Amino acid sequence: MNATATLSEAPVSTDQLKAMLGRPPRVLVTKIGLDGHDRGSRLVAGFLRDAGMEVIYLGLRQTTATIVAAAEQEDVDAIGLSMHNAGHLTLAPAMLRAMSDAELDIPLVIGGIIPDQDRDALYQAGVAVVLGPGATAEEVAESVRRAVARTA
Amino acid sequence: MNLRHLAPADLVPRALEGDRRAVGRLLTLVARVVEKLIADHARPAVLAVDPSSPLSGGAILGDRVRMASIDATAFIRSLATRGHSGGLAMAVPGAVRVLDAGGYSPIIIETVGVGQVEVEVTAAADTTVVVLTPGMGDAVQANKAGLLEVGDIFVVNKCHQPGADDTRRDLELMLDFSHITGHDDPDYRPPILLTDAIKGDGLDALAEAIVKHRLHLDADGRRAQRRMRRLQHEIERRVTARLQTHVDEIMHAPSQRQLLADVADGAISPVQAAEHMTAQVLATAHPTQTAP
């Protein structure tokens, strides 16, 4: 199973998204817990900024609660979690539960070191996009845009 | 000193761009102030403004990183400038009104900038706090940037660092000059405070200075005056932004390419071309007018 069920059918540009949303897309980028490998999340923040999006960068050591609170205050269109600690099978569902409890109906994007055999489980749980370490700037931006367009 | 009676006192902590560490320290100072406000049972809000990339239109809004320790009592919103050249997001005045209506107080507008940004930002707030760090000729830079004229309170952060006293002395000197040349408010001399955001030094004095300035504004109706100026400024910005969209349309219309080519060839001057385009902008903005 791949992620196309959670993405808009056709590619969508940032300008098109801007027209749909009435403003540039806002994406929250952060890491949960004690995982300190943040180079990937910084790179992704830059990719999204270069693609015309506004990145609310929360940095390290966040919890599902602080992420939900920030997502609400910042009216973000997607939440991006960077994971390099093999915690994704626990943390991604926990994040989804916290989002659903708060009625945050926006896509969850997971990036980082995710073994191929775990991707299906993540999609089944409700993750919209899984991005591995080889993802290019364009792939990152495009998949985030399509995920946002789907729920916008 | 209890700050909850400041509803809604808008503060604008500032720092000079170019020193990323200075930005971090400013944000730490803001975070400390917000924590203190929460401890004093206030319900503060922070509007954190960062510039949008002129190339992509996107932005990295990272000010929340330094405010992670603050609980959700405080409403923190990150805003990108979105192409607005003044340095303050267009949405700020409206956001201040919404937060005020929502019972948040005080409302802190936090931004980093140099140049013309100051006038813009101070027009949006009741009280402007200018934050400097010692060394690097900060006080001189502040003067050049025009910050001396708009600050109601000056803070030298990282006060235990060498050079802090020099910075304070420089600031005092420059304030002396503006006093001599006719500061617009002879009854109020901006205080210069020393703080250390990491250690928490000087926060009480800062809180007191803000309250004092607020009381000063309330006397003689100055606060009402500032509010009128604020509203006027906001309206003017909105008008300018509306006109700018017409300017952008005209400037990028295919019909203008010939005009630009004529200017490049020297057939007409840039001034003449601008007058022609201005007439077109006015004609499109107000269709009943005929362009000369």
Side-chain angles (χ1 to χ4, degrees), chain B residues 61-82:
Chain B
L61 309 174
D63 292 358
R64 285 191 91 103
V65 174
R66 295 283 174 149
M67 307 205 201
S69 54
I70 298 171
D71 70 58
T73 310
F75 192 101
I76 302 170
R77 179 70 171 223
S78 311
L79 294 97
T81 53
R82 290 188 184 164

Side-chain angles (χ1 to χ4, degrees), chain B residues 15 24 42 44 55 104 172 178 182 186 195 210 217 243 256 262 270 276 283:
Chain B
L55 301 174
Y104 285 92
E172 292 280 9
S178 31
T195 61
I210 292 168
L217 285 184
L243 290 175
Q256 298 314 320
D262 290 343
H276 180 82

Side-chain angles (χ1 to χ4, degrees), chain A residues 17-105:
Chain A
L17 258 189
K18 265 173 93 163
M20 281 167 73
L21 298 167
R23 53 165 176 70
R26 288 165 70 88
V27 182
L28 192 155
V29 172
T30 188
K31 295 179 75 69
I32 290 184
L34 298 175
D35 177 355
H37 306 92
D38 63 349
R39 190 157 182 276
S41 60
R42 288 167 188 266
L43 277 174
V44 161
F47 295 160
L48 296 176
R49 187 248 344 255
D50 293 341
M53 302 187 225
E54 291 176 358
V55 179
I56 285 86
Y57 188 77
L58 287 192
L60 303 174
R61 292 193 289 276
Q62 298 303 302
T63 64
T64 56
T66 61
I67 294 169
V68 163
E72 288 175 330
Q73 290 188 351
E74 298 284 1
D75 278 318
V76 297
D77 305 302
I79 292 176
L81 285 186
S82 163
M83 295 183 162
H84 294 80
N85 258 14
H88 48 278
L89 289 178
T90 315
L91 294 173
M95 189 71 240
L96 287 164
R97 258 194 312 277
M99 287 164 70
S100 136
D101 287 347
E103 292 175 14
L104 262 179
D105 185 24

Side-chain angles (χ1 to χ4, degrees), chain B residues 135-192:
Chain B
M136 313 252 286
D138 253 21
V140 176
Q141 293 299 330
N143 196 14
K144 282 190 193 168
L147 288 174
L148 272 295
E149 287 153 50
V150 300
D152 298 308
I153 297 167
F154 292 89
V155 170
V156 180
N157 197 19
K158 269 224 146 192
C159 58
H160 302 298
Q161 201 171 282
D165 273 333
D166 290 338
T167 303
R168 182 186 22 199
R169 219 182 29 237
D170 288 346
L171 278 174
E172 292 280 9
L173 253 177
M174 284 181 246
L175 286 176
D176 283 340
F177 285 137
S178 31
H179 207 73
I180 291 167
T181 58
H183 201 264
D184 71 340
D185 195 345
D187 297 327
Y188 180 81
R189 164 97 175 194
I192 300 172

Side-chain angles (χ1 to χ4, degrees), chain A residues 109-145:
Chain A
V109 178
I110 305 285
I113 307 293
I114 314 287
D116 287 343
Q117 65 264 29
D118 290 348
R119 289 182 176 231
D120 277 356
L122 290 176
Y123 288 129
Q124 297 275 10
V127 171
V129 181
V130 178
L131 294 161
T136 63
E138 188 42 50
E139 281 164 0
V140 171
E142 182 59 37
S143 48
V144 168
R145 282 195 295 256

